[in-house]
Amino acid sequence: MKRKYSLEFCVPFLLVFILLQVGWFIYKLVIMPDEGCHKELTLSVCTILVLLALLWIFTSKMSRQNKILEENNRKLSELDRMKTEFLANVSHELRTPLTVIMGYSELLEERLSKEEDETNLKFVQTVHRKSEDLLSLINDLIDFSRIESGKLELRLSLFTLEEVISETVEELATNVQKKGHNVQVNYGSTPLWLLADRGKIKQIAVNLLQNAIKYTPFNGHITVRTYMQGDMCCLEVEDDGVGIPEDEIKHIYQPFKQADSSYNKKYEGFGLGLAITKSLVQSHNGSIRVRSEPGKGSLFIVSLPREKNV
């Protein structure tokens, strides 16, 4: 395969060659100003002029290429902005009628439960459950569009990480029971105080625990741990689920990307959960890392700055 040299690679060598020619010209002119060197000096001057012309051609091409790249970057930025706005607008427009559907389905559930109409009650419960799933996906799109557009706002308050984890585990208890999982929660001996956006920290915990529930087969084991490490509050969510291949770990935080293409058929979702989680963690000056082995499960570790003035 032939190697292609870019203009940026050629110009420095051309400049060095021109400088050498100029140096040679000055040396001949000063050290040996006899008439015998006239032809050599003339040749040197012509060579320098040719090289300067080539340099001008190269720089002109580079300038045109830079303008094309700038224009392409501008178009890509505009397309990215339009995509973000489209996601935000569509998500908002979908959420409004979906909220109405969920409200009416709840009323129907209450009425059918009183009438003891089991068949129709199951249908309505399915509608309500799927509406909740769709609302969760829409909320992910809205959160992602806010992060992409830089409009993510943090409302800081003082709270403990333990109380957020306790609420999260309690709210997801139904999902845990449906799959027969055993969830164990281990808290450290010292309360972990955070000065952060409580809603965003809870969203981080919900996303990690939901992923553990989703990607762990029935009757699995999930462990949630909190502890202090130096000046950081640490949250661990470990499962014995399907795991993530090593070559896929670097892709799991990409938007609309799940750990493996086969997951797209088996598991629901846009693949935004971990992308949003990482952005929320980083917005709190924290970090997230993962250890995983296919067939043995995954361990996600989130580290957040501890509030010392408590």
Side-chain angles (χ1 to χ4, degrees), residues 66-82:
N66 288 335
K67 288 181 179 179
I68 293 173
L69 288 174
E70 288 176 359
E71 180 64 18
N72 289 338
N73 286 334
R74 187 190 65 78
K75 290 180 179 178
L76 287 174
S77 299
E78 180 65 16
L79 287 174
D80 189 61
R81 183 190 64 79
M82 292 172 64

Side-chain angles (χ1 to χ4, degrees), residues 109-164:
E109 277 188 67
E110 293 179 5
R111 179 179 297 179
L112 292 174
S113 62
K114 293 178 181 178
E115 296 176 359
E116 298 183 356
D117 188 345
E118 294 295 330
T119 303
N120 288 325
L121 179 59
K122 288 182 180 179
F123 293 154
V124 174
Q125 286 175 340
T126 301
V127 171
H128 188 265
R129 185 172 61 254
K130 292 302 179 181
S131 297
E132 286 181 334
D133 293 341
L134 183 55
L135 182 61
S136 177
L137 294 176
I138 291 173
N139 287 334
D140 282 347
L141 283 174
I142 293 174
D143 290 335
F144 176 71
S145 64
R146 286 173 179 169
I147 292 170
E148 286 285 286
S149 61
K151 295 179 180 179
L152 183 67
E153 296 181 0
L154 299 180
R155 299 178 180 178
L156 303 182
S157 62
L158 192 63
F159 58 93
T160 65
L161 182 58
E162 289 85 353
E163 64 186 69
V164 172

Side-chain angles (χ1 to χ4, degrees), residues 24-25 28-29 37-46:
W24 176 252
F25 174 75
K28 285 287 188 178
L29 188 64
C37 298
H38 182 70
K39 291 183 179 179
E40 293 183 10
L41 293 176
T42 302
L43 181 61
S44 296
V45 171
C46 292

Side-chain angles (χ1 to χ4, degrees), residues 94-226:
L94 287 174
R95 186 163 64 172
T96 301
L98 186 60
T99 305
V100 176
I101 293 173
M102 291 177 64
Y104 280 114
S105 64
E106 288 179 356
L107 291 175
L108 284 173
E109 277 188 67
E110 293 179 5
R111 179 179 297 179
L112 292 174
S113 62
K114 293 178 181 178
E115 296 176 359
E116 298 183 356
D117 188 345
E118 294 295 330
T119 303
N120 288 325
L121 179 59
K122 288 182 180 179
F123 293 154
V124 174
Q125 286 175 340
T126 301
V127 171
H128 188 265
R129 185 172 61 254
K130 292 302 179 181
S131 297
E132 286 181 334
D133 293 341
L134 183 55
L135 182 61
S136 177
L137 294 176
I138 291 173
N139 287 334
D140 282 347
L141 283 174
I142 293 174
D143 290 335
F144 176 71
S145 64
R146 286 173 179 169
I147 292 170
E148 286 285 286
S149 61
K151 295 179 180 179
L152 183 67
E153 296 181 0
L154 299 180
R155 299 178 180 178
L156 303 182
S157 62
L158 192 63
F159 58 93
T160 65
L161 182 58
E162 289 85 353
E163 64 186 69
V164 172
I165 299 304
S166 179
E167 288 180 11
T168 302
V169 172
E170 184 177 349
E171 290 178 6
L172 295 178
T174 303
N175 295 341
V176 172
Q177 291 173 1
K178 286 179 181 177
K179 296 196 69 175
H181 293 329
N182 176 31
V183 177
Q184 183 177 358
V185 182
N186 299 325
Y187 296 131
S189 57
T190 305
L192 303 178
W193 288 93
L194 296 173
L195 182 62
D197 188 313
R198 196 178 191 282
K200 301 297 188 295
I201 299 300
K202 186 174 181 180
Q203 188 174 357
I204 292 170
V206 168
N207 286 347
L208 292 178
L209 191 53
Q210 279 183 337
N211 272 4
I213 295 169
K214 181 193 296 185
Y215 295 115
T216 300
F218 284 89
N219 302 316
H221 297 275
I222 300 171
T223 304
V224 181
R225 307 181 190 90
T226 62

